[in-house]
Amino acid sequence: MNKLRHPTIEVRVPASTANLGAGFDCFGLALQLYLTVRATVLSSPGNRSQVRSRGSKGSSLLARVPEKNLIFRAMQHAAEREGFALPPVRLAVHNAIPVAGGLGSSAAAVVAGVSLAFAVAGRAMPTASALCYATELEGHADNAAAALLGSLVVTAVRMDGEVLAVRKAWPKEIRIVAVTPDLALETKKSRAVLPATVSRDDATHNLQRSALLIAALEEKRFDLLWDAMQDRLHQSCRERLIPGLAGILQLPRAPGLLGIALSGAGPSVIALATDHFDAIGRSIAHHFECHHLAATIRCLDVAPEGYTISEPNQLPRR
């Protein structure tokens, strides 16, 4: 007599960096650093959902209680919005994305949860719905859109909450040097230091440079990216939360270096570069180290694809 089998589904979601300097809450860029979640449906009566996490520093400390775990919460949110019930599942999480590091760890978790909810229910996932649900949980669309779609994504949120997203090709010549200090910084805290209003001059400055960044990438005018990434809306406000950031943002141009920006809400810093990746990473890390913060340097390619989900395979019932 054959044993019953559990359907198992695996989703892989890329990390992301947001803003790229001037494009506050607008630009998201997917990176080849991944969160992988394997979900197994537990069909025996009385089973309860469970999770275990491993990977980058802090991953093993992520909430194991379903009601507090972000992946589970995203699954439940999508199911409630769609009007279907979820079976209990066991999640095995491998996370390579720094937790609270400014590289989209929470967005990856949310996208993983939303996509798994649809997959476990055997339903196709409309991109528009996934973007909406992920944005509702994240509070902003940039990282989530990049995690869903891959590459560079430009987003805007309509008054009715609909998320508009346009995916753009990314030049293969440009890699991302991401430097993460040993400093956890919650997005909520980083956003709390931002002013409620900004001057017209500062708003115009960022609007011009956001438009310039897209034009420069399309025309391969990489010489313009340094100016296109200059920000007046958020980075200077966050300097007091991130020791070393002020000096990093004042670094001069260097061979291979196209531009530097705070990654999302921080504390990671990214550099766009075409060469001399190690030297660029070390020069950024040095400023963190001068403030007694160890730093991890990663040289990453842009992820051309967003989340991917496997076909369910079958594992023997335990």
Side-chain angles (χ1 to χ4, degrees), residues 19-20 27-29 151-154 168-176 209-226 228-229 258 272-274 302:
N19 302 332
L20 303 183
F27 298 147
L29 184 66
S151 194
L152 173 65
V153 184
V154 184
K168 305 285 291 182
W170 183 261
K172 292 182 179 179
E173 306 95 306
I174 303 177
R175 302 185 75 193
I176 309 301
R209 280 147 187 81
S210 297
L212 178 63
L213 186 139
I214 296 299
L217 290 172
E218 287 185 345
E219 297 300 320
K220 293 188 177 295
R221 287 291 308 276
F222 300 157
D223 58 305
L224 298 178
L225 292 177
W226 187 271
M229 293 177 69
L258 303 178
L272 273 56
T274 55
V302 169

Side-chain angles (χ1 to χ4, degrees), residues 5-318:
R5 294 176 180 268
H6 296 299
T8 296
I9 302 164
E10 185 172 280
V11 63
R12 189 176 78 151
V13 187
S16 56
T17 182
N19 302 332
L20 303 183
F24 180 69
D25 278 6
C26 176
F27 298 147
L29 184 66
L31 304 174
Q32 290 191 9
L33 187 69
Y34 294 94
L35 167 73
T36 303
V37 184
R38 178 172 291 182
T40 301
V41 174
L42 305 175
S43 55
S44 298
N47 275 327
R48 299 185 62 184
S49 293
Q50 53 189 271
V51 61
R52 75 178 196 280
S53 301
R54 60 188 178 90
S56 67
K57 183 178 179 181
S59 296
S60 61
L61 301 177
L62 295 174
R64 302 185 68 174
V65 178
E67 292 76 15
K68 296 182 179 180
N69 182 275
L70 186 54
I71 299 173
F72 276 119
R73 286 169 47 209
M75 291 180 71
Q76 192 61 48
H77 182 76
E80 290 174 355
R81 296 283 270 110
E82 289 289 316
F84 59 79
L86 290 173
V89 294
R90 180 175 62 244
L91 300 185
V93 179
H94 184 269
N95 176 42
I97 307 171
V99 177
L103 291 175
S105 61
S106 63
V110 167
V111 169
V114 170
S115 60
L116 283 173
F118 279 90
V120 166
R123 299 185 176 210
M125 184 175 75
T127 299
S129 297
L131 273 172
C132 177
Y133 304 155
T135 302
E136 288 170 351
L137 288 166
E138 275 282 278
H140 47 95
D142 42 14
N143 290 99
L148 274 165
L149 302 175
S151 194
L152 173 65
V153 184
V154 184
T155 61
V157 182
R158 292 178 48 171
M159 294 296 292
D160 62 1
E162 180 185 355
V163 180
L164 308 177
V166 178
R167 183 181 179 277
K168 305 285 291 182
W170 183 261
K172 292 182 179 179
E173 306 95 306
I174 303 177
R175 302 185 75 193
I176 309 301
V177 180
V179 183
T180 305
D182 189 9
L183 173 71
L185 179 59
E186 294 183 359
T187 300
K188 182 179 180 180
K189 181 178 179 180
S190 187
R191 292 181 81 89
V193 301
L194 302 182
T197 60
V198 298
S199 71
R200 181 171 63 185
D201 285 347
D202 288 347
T204 301
H205 173 99
N206 275 48
L207 284 170
Q208 290 175 341
R209 280 147 187 81
S210 297
L212 178 63
L213 186 139
I214 296 299
L217 290 172
E218 287 185 345
E219 297 300 320
K220 293 188 177 295
R221 287 291 308 276
F222 300 157
D223 58 305
L224 298 178
L225 292 177
W226 187 271
D227 290 306
M229 293 177 69
Q230 301 303 310
D231 162 73
R232 287 189 188 174
L233 296 186
H234 67 103
Q235 293 184 154
S236 61
C237 301
R238 289 164 163 164
E239 288 177 358
R240 66 178 182 267
L241 299 178
I242 307 170
L245 177 60
I248 292 168
L249 295 177
Q250 293 172 12
L251 283 170
R253 297 193 187 205
L257 177 62
L258 303 178
I260 296 175
L262 183 65
S263 182
S268 292
V269 169
I270 60 158
L272 273 56
T274 55
D275 203 351
H276 299 280
F277 308 111
D278 290 341
I280 291 168
R282 288 195 302 271
S283 68
I284 295 172
H286 172 72
H287 284 266
F288 290 130
E289 291 161 356
C290 286
H291 291 268
H292 309 290
L293 288 173
T296 301
I297 302 170
R298 296 175 175 88
C299 187
L300 303 170
D301 289 312
V302 169
E305 292 183 318
Y307 85 102
T308 55
I309 198 157
S310 69
E311 291 294 326
N313 52 48
Q314 302 294 319
L315 293 178
R317 182 179 175 181
R318 294 181 181 177

